[in-house]
Amino acid sequence: MPRVLTMHERRIDDSEREGYFAALQTRRDTAKAAHAHFWVFEHGVEHGRFVEFLEAGDTQSLVAAHAAHTTVELWREVETN
């Protein structure tokens, strides 16, 4: 079964950085409870520019992992032979 993914870019000001990182653990816990995976990457040059990925095996799990954090825009894995 193809996987489902969402991506969200965020820009975090230095004054918000500590709170953002604290909230990430809650987001990871929510994702784990929904059987989803959560990753966050910071841009290599642009400090404070982040991209967040949520990935799951089905749409229902992915929507549950998002809870109330953001609107869900789904990307589906392409299967090639």
Side-chain angles (χ1 to χ4, degrees):
M1 169 178 249
R3 309 291 293 172
V4 185
L5 175 79
T6 63
M7 298 177 292
H8 186 79
E9 185 173 335
R10 296 185 189 273
R11 293 190 183 263
I12 305 299
D13 190 75
D14 281 345
S15 64
E16 301 169 324
R17 195 173 177 89
E18 186 176 326
Y20 175 69
F21 281 118
L24 290 178
Q25 187 58 52
T26 300
R27 305 266 316 272
R28 281 190 181 91
D29 292 344
T30 301
K32 185 176 181 179
H35 305 287
H37 301 282
F38 180 65
W39 296 279
V40 178
F41 295 84
E42 186 170 16
H43 193 276
V45 176
E46 294 181 46
H47 181 76
R49 181 178 175 193
F50 295 89
V51 64
E52 302 171 358
F53 297 91
L54 257 169
E55 177 261 339
D58 59 80
T59 301
Q60 186 177 17
S61 296
L62 192 64
V63 170
H66 269 281
H69 296 295
T70 185
T71 303
V72 177
E73 183 175 320
L74 301 174
W75 293 76
R76 299 193 190 283
E77 180 181 16
V78 176
E79 291 190 28
T80 60
N81 295 342

